[in-house]
């Protein structure tokens, strides 16, 4: 499988706080990689850097072989323009903890905003595709509803469909079930499992250890801004060799 995403020796600071410390990670097309670790370990910051919601202070991130946020001229990195960065961002879909839906727009309008306004695609084509995506996540009957009329699980499924409407090459999930009531978690994880089975490339920050074990191809453990260990779900969850990972898994389970 070809590599779609690479983070190479990535550094990120917030003031004097070293949020990402020499992080290197690659994700292949069709692969599902889960990132686990304690709060404040840099997991969400890594996703925000990949999606260019945060700039990096060192290293390189590439998506589909193209350097994110910069162009290499000789030995010098030149920042891209806002419009060039916006074009790059379309390759990366992001699903947030808090859904981030437009509250004043219907479910269908939320899905149409990006494809029509940003990608300049034909409205009717986008509408038919959006309706198909809503059916895919089990919300065909909610096309004309507004976010405040939906449960948290339904809103998160709309957010997933909205991300898919942009035809991303990779989907990033930032703890997509952490804001949900326990009884609503399953409906979101079911959609994510279906996406994984369909071949969608996914990088998932989560505390859902069962999802990691069942769906992920690889599990990455982060602590204090660094990747401490990585391996198969069995290596990381069932029989972890790293003591720090073993203690975390034991505490979570």
């Amino acid at each position: 499988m070809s590599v779609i995403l690479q983070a190479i020796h990535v550094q990120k600071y917030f003031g004097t706080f070293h949020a990402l410390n020499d992080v290197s990670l690659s994700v292949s097309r069709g692969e599902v990689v889960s990132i686990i670790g304690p709060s404040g370990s840099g997991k969400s910051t890594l996703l925000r850097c990949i999606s260019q919601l945060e700039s990096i202070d060192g290293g390189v991130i590439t998506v589909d072989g193209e350097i994110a946020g910069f162009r290499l001229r000789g030995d010098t990195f030149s920042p891209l323009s806002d419009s060039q960065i916006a074009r790059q961002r379309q390759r990366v879909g992001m699903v947030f903890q808090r859904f981030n839906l437009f509250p004043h727009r219907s479910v269908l309008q939320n899905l149409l905003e990006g494809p029509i306004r940003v990608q300049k695609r034909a409205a009717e084509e986008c509408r038919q595709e959006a309706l198909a995506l809503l059916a895919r996540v089990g919300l065909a009957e909610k096309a004309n509803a507004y976010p405040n009329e939906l449960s948290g699980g339904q809103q998160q499924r709309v957010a997933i469909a909205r991300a898919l409407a942009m035809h991303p090459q990779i989907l990033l999930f930032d703890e997509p079930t952490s804001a949900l009531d326990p009884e609503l978690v399953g409906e979101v994880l079911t959609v994510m499992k279906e996406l994984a089975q369909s071949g969608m490339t996914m990088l998932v920050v989560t505390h859902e250890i069962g999802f990691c074990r069942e769906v992920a191809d690889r599990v990455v453990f982060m602590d204090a801004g660094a990747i401490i260990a990585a391996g198969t779900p069995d290596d990381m969850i069932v029989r972890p060799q790293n003591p720090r990972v073993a203690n975390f898994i034991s505490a979570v389970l």
Side-chain angles (χ1 to χ4, degrees), residues 18-128:
H18 204 173
L20 295 177
N21 184 4
D22 195 31
V23 171
S24 293
L25 174 70
S26 66
V27 180
S28 297
R29 296 181 192 276
E31 190 176 25
V32 178
V33 177
S34 289
I35 305 179
I36 62 174
S39 298
S41 59
K43 307 182 302 295
S44 296
T45 299
L46 178 58
L47 294 196
R48 291 180 64 83
C49 289
I50 292 169
S51 62
Q52 300 193 65
L53 296 174
E54 299 283 355
S55 59
I56 61 176
D57 298 311
V60 173
I61 294 172
T62 68
V63 178
D64 198 20
E66 185 175 349
I67 299 171
F70 297 89
R71 178 181 288 110
L72 185 60
R73 299 180 184 274
D75 295 329
T76 304
F77 286 102
S78 301
L80 297 181
S81 66
D82 289 345
S83 62
Q84 290 171 321
I85 290 174
R87 175 187 59 80
Q88 286 189 338
R89 280 190 181 132
Q90 294 178 40
R91 297 177 178 175
V92 180
M94 184 85 166
V95 179
F96 300 88
Q97 294 181 31
R98 296 286 176 178
F99 326 133
N100 286 15
L101 300 176
F102 298 118
H104 59 293
R105 298 188 184 279
S106 70
V107 165
L108 182 59
Q109 288 170 337
N110 266 275
L111 267 66
L112 295 177
E113 184 78 10
I116 293 176
R117 290 182 176 267
V118 177
Q119 296 180 329
K120 309 298 183 185
R121 291 161 50 200
E124 184 56 26
E125 171 195 334
C126 294
R127 180 178 178 277
Q128 292 302 322

Side-chain angles (χ1 to χ4, degrees), residues 150-241:
L150 305 179
S151 70
Q154 290 172 330
Q155 289 186 62
Q156 193 61 292
R157 284 186 281 155
V158 172
I160 293 171
R162 182 178 64 176
L164 291 170
M166 297 293 285
H167 294 178
Q169 295 186 31
I170 182 170
L171 266 184
L172 311 181
F173 292 84
D174 187 7
E175 300 197 27
T177 60
S178 65
L180 301 178
D181 292 333
E183 66 268 23
L184 302 178
V185 169
E187 64 189 59
V188 173
L189 293 181
T190 296
V191 171
M192 294 173 64
K193 290 175 186 177
E194 187 275 326
L195 290 176
Q197 291 165 356
S198 73
M200 173 61 66
T201 308
M202 298 162 60
L203 185 57
V204 184
V205 168
T206 184
H207 288 297
E208 297 291 338
I209 301 301
F211 173 87
C212 297
R213 184 176 179 183
E214 181 180 350
V215 180
D217 298 299
R218 276 190 298 140
V219 177
V220 173
F221 184 86
M222 291 187 69
D223 194 13
I227 292 178
I228 303 301
T232 67
D234 278 355
D235 291 339
M236 297 291 290
I237 297 171
V238 182
R239 294 178 295 275
Q241 300 301 306

